[in-house]
Every structure is written in structure tokens, then in C-alpha cells.
Amino acid sequence: MNNILTSDQLEIIKGLMQVPATISPKYFYDAKGSALFEDITRLQAYYPTRTEHAIMSTHAPEIARRVGASCALIELGAGNCQKAKALCELIKPAHFVAVDISEEFLHDAVARMRLTFPDIEIQALAADLTADILLPASLPAQRRLVFYPGSSIGNFDPPQALALMSRIRGLIADDGALLIGVDLVKDEAVLNAAYDDGEGVTAAFNLNVLDHVNRLIGSDFDTSQWQHRAFFNADQSRIEMHLEAKSNQLIHWRHGARSFARGERIHTENSYKYRVEDFVELLERAGLPQTQVWTDAHAWFAVVLARP
């Protein structure tokens, strides 16, 4: 038997042994988790997806004019590629690279994109956004547009977010740009409802991470013994998601174990909410000082185009 642990296994076990325990949100996205997240985006309570779509649709002509045509489009966290599909129709890039951590889900989405856009050179890249992103060597270096929709930047703590923005700056030349969706600070009731919906879809999404972890490290989490908790932490300006133990339990995995008391939590996600001026400052620090910002009528969400 191979006793050498992979980097994912080491990361997960290290997080589980912390106090409080943590699991990185990137482990949400196995095939089932990716599908559940798509279900979340269609919920009435989950405003980010439809609000971002409305902003992109309303300002499509100006976005297209500012971005220009024939660029190489790189979507981070591509998921089902539906947002990239709309952008490809708008700006007609010569190349498209879909980047996502869920490889199986990604390849299915890219196969559909190739049928829709036979004239675009389309590639799939399975990658972890917390590490360096190695783009295909065949991708032109000029006129790249990195597209990072869905406010996923909120999953990164501020120092991590700055590091990611800096890595994105490294992916583009001086004629490139970043188009990014950012969730904004708003009424707590709206935020809490978006991450703890009455249908229980977000709860299923959160609990599924335990099944994914079981497969990755050979642990024996029983999802029926855990419950979803989500709330807005005003001091940190972030939604927090946790899994709370319903009972005292001992969780085993290969080469280790950890006990959890009833009520003890595993922190699975942060989703930071920004003020526009704070996010623009973060982009400036990352080397992307030229910004154009579009928001909805309620100022719930922003789409930002940033250039070096």
C-alpha cells in the first residue's frame, strides 16, 4: 500500500487537526458539488448570479467596446461555462481557456462549448486557483482577458485575494485586462438568506464536502451527524459557512483521527463582501490600477474591468 500522502490529503488533514477545524472551499467542487452549486445559482434567495447577469446584459455594448474583439478569453472557476458562453457571443474571442478545479465537470462543459463555438480554439485546464496557473503554451500572450465571475474572489481572505489578483496580473501583458464580479456589502438579512436557503440546497452543498473528503482521505464522516450553519460576520465583512456536529463523534482517516464534541464546528467557507472603493484599492495594489465599475440599481453587486 502506498503510504505517501498527496498534497490534497496533507492539506485536508492539516485543516481537520486545527482548532477550530477547517476544510478549504475548493473541496466543495467534486462533480456533485459543482452540480449543487449550479442549483444554488438558480435559487430565488441567491441574488449574485442573476444580479451579475443583469449588469452584464445591461452594459454589454460598453463592455464589448472596452474589451475589444479577437482577444484570448480565460475564465477562472468556469463551472458550466454559461457565463463565458454569453461573453464569447459578445466579444468573439479567437481563443477560450476554461479553468476549474472540478476536472470531470469542466470537460463536459468544454465539450458543449466546442459544439456551440466551432470557430473558437477552446481548451480545458484543471487547476487550483490557490497555486500558480500554467496556461497552455499555445495561447497567445497578447490581448488576454481574464474573466472571473460569480464573486468567487470573496472566498479568499484579503491577503489571499491580493495574491490571486497579483497572479492574474502576471497572466496578462500590458494590453490585457481582468473582468471580475464582486459581491458588495448589503443588508444582513439578504446576505443570510442567500447562504441558508429555505430549500436546503446550500446545506446539501456544504454537507457534500464531507463525502468528498471521505473519498480523498479515507475518512468516515457521516453527513447525517452534521448540520449546515451560515451567517454574516459584520466585523470581518464576510459570510461564514460551517458544519456543526450534532453529536460527540470520533472521525478516523488513514494514519489519524480526531474527536469532535457536539456543537463543535468545521469552518468550510468565507465569502467576503466588499465596498467598491476597497476592491478598487486591492486591484491597484495588484498592479491593475485602471478600473471601470458597473453596478446594479441596488448596488448589491459590481462588475469591474481592470487594466495594468
Side-chain angles (χ1 to χ4, degrees):
M1 178 181 293
N2 185 2
N3 290 320
I4 298 175
L5 298 176
T6 67
S7 58
D8 280 335
Q9 290 170 331
L10 288 169
E11 180 179 353
I12 291 167
I13 292 168
K14 180 180 178 181
L16 289 174
M17 294 304 294
Q18 291 178 355
V19 180
T22 64
I23 298 174
S24 169
K26 67 185 180 184
Y27 297 111
F28 284 139
Y29 298 101
D30 61 353
K32 182 180 178 181
S34 295
L36 282 168
F37 183 73
E38 297 305 326
D39 292 339
I40 288 171
T41 66
R42 292 187 283 269
L43 294 170
Q44 181 60 34
Y46 192 79
Y47 61 86
T49 302
R50 65 174 181 273
T51 307
E52 181 180 52
H53 175 74
I55 294 169
M56 294 282 291
S57 299
T58 299
H59 299 284
E62 185 179 3
I63 291 172
R65 178 177 60 82
R66 288 181 176 271
V67 169
S70 301
C71 64
L73 177 63
I74 304 152
E75 184 182 18
L76 306 183
N80 65 7
C81 294
Q82 284 302 301
K83 295 175 182 178
K85 180 176 180 290
L87 192 55
C88 283
E89 291 170 347
L90 181 65
I91 66 173
K92 299 177 175 57
H95 301 263
F96 171 57
V97 179
V99 183
D100 201 280
I101 197 168
S102 182
E103 187 168 4
E104 179 183 351
F105 194 79
L106 176 65
H107 282 284
D108 289 343
V110 164
R112 293 190 296 270
M113 286 287 285
R114 286 179 176 139
L115 292 174
T116 305
F117 300 103
D119 296 331
I120 299 177
E121 181 68 32
I122 297 175
Q123 300 180 71
L125 177 62
D128 178 354
L129 299 188
T130 63
D132 289 339
I133 302 165
L134 302 177
L135 294 171
S138 60
L139 191 70
Q142 304 303 311
R143 297 189 53 73
R144 291 177 175 177
L145 174 66
V146 176
F147 182 41
Y148 193 27
S151 70
S152 296
I153 187 61
N155 293 150
F156 296 85
D157 292 342
Q160 296 172 330
L162 176 59
L164 176 57
M165 294 297 98
S166 298
R167 289 197 298 275
I168 289 173
R169 171 64 183 94
L171 297 178
I172 61 175
D174 289 344
D175 62 354
L178 165 67
L179 186 65
I180 186 169
V182 187
D183 202 8
L184 304 179
V185 175
K186 60 185 65 64
D187 184 82
E188 287 189 25
V190 175
L191 288 167
N192 287 331
Y195 290 84
D196 194 9
D197 61 279
E199 292 92 330
V201 182
T202 310
F205 172 72
N206 197 10
L207 286 162
N208 180 67
V209 77
L210 297 181
D211 287 332
H212 191 198
V213 164
N214 282 345
R215 293 194 301 276
L216 290 172
I217 68 169
S219 52
D220 55 0
F221 282 102
D222 177 356
T223 57
S224 70
Q225 295 302 306
W226 295 81
Q227 57 191 336
H228 169 67
R229 297 294 190 200
F231 53 87
F232 184 64
N233 180 332
D235 291 339
Q236 297 291 330
S237 193
R238 70 189 188 194
I239 284 282
E240 294 183 11
M241 292 211 319
H242 302 257
L243 291 167
E244 184 176 291
K246 294 181 180 180
S247 61
N248 297 334
Q249 50 196 290
L250 179 63
I251 306 301
H252 304 85
W253 54 82
R254 188 158 58 97
H255 308 310
R258 159 120 187 222
S259 61
F260 289 91
R262 180 182 177 183
E264 193 170 356
R265 293 175 175 177
I266 302 173
H267 191 166
T268 56
E269 182 183 45
N270 292 322
S271 185
Y272 283 83
K273 310 305 173 185
Y274 286 90
R275 297 185 305 165
V276 168
E277 56 268 33
D278 293 335
F279 193 74
V280 167
E281 180 185 0
L282 184 148
L283 290 169
E284 290 175 353
R285 293 169 60 198
L288 296 163
Q290 301 182 64
T291 55
Q292 171 68 47
V293 180
W294 299 277
T295 64
D296 60 286
H298 300 292
W300 280 6
F301 200 94
V303 174
V304 184
L305 181 66
R307 296 185 182 277

